[in-house]
Amino acid sequence: QVQLVESGGGLVHPGGSLTLSCLVSGFTVDESVIGWFRQAPGKAREAVSCISASGLTYHYPSSVKGRFDVSGDSAKNTVFLQMKSLVPEDSGMYYCAARPSGALCFDSDSKYEHWGQGAQVTVSS
């Protein structure tokens, strides 16, 4: 069965770094598209970053470009979201989502078939 399990969330001070993990079972991440989304309280969910089946990475909000990075570990069938220079506006629930057998990245929720449970990220002093 398909399952996405997120880990690595928590509390971090402004300016700090945090890495989220998305462990995938049921399909191979190397042949799929994995996207990262986040949702702050009272706001709509937004696409953050994505890694395509070919390994190309994308970052959608201008505020995260240069600070966030996406990578994958084939042996562990895991995708990571590395975040640095964090600011309070980065706080929210972070989700990984998958397009099994997909090739291209999209920033729309409807393009992703499977979702993780979410990991809370709080940036506060």
Side-chain angles (χ1 to χ4, degrees):
Q1 61 181 22
V2 174
Q3 187 175 29
L4 282 67
V5 179
E6 303 175 24
S7 61
L11 175 66
V12 63
H13 294 308
S17 300
L18 198 66
T19 298
L20 302 179
S21 300
C22 180
L23 176 62
V24 176
S25 60
F27 63 90
T28 301
V29 298
D30 287 351
E31 299 175 347
S32 305
V33 174
I34 304 295
W36 288 93
F37 295 77
R38 68 184 180 187
Q39 186 171 25
K43 296 186 177 182
R45 186 164 58 194
E46 66 173 347
V48 179
S49 302
C50 182
I51 183 167
S52 73
S54 63
L56 298 177
T57 59
Y58 303 85
H59 306 287
Y60 298 103
S62 60
S63 61
V64 311
K65 294 178 180 178
R67 299 191 298 116
F68 287 19
D69 190 34
V70 184
S71 61
D73 187 324
S74 297
K76 297 180 179 180
N77 209 38
T78 300
V79 172
F80 304 94
L81 178 66
Q82 185 177 14
M83 304 177 288
K84 64 179 182 180
S85 301
L86 286 162
V87 295
E89 290 73 20
D90 293 319
S91 298
M93 188 72 73
Y94 282 69
Y95 303 88
C96 61
R99 300 181 64 230
S101 301
L104 304 178
C105 283
F106 294 91
D107 63 357
S108 175
D109 292 3
S110 64
K111 296 292 186 178
Y112 294 84
E113 183 177 353
H114 303 287
W115 292 77
Q117 81 286 355
Q120 181 67 46
V121 173
T122 302
V123 185
S124 176
S125 60

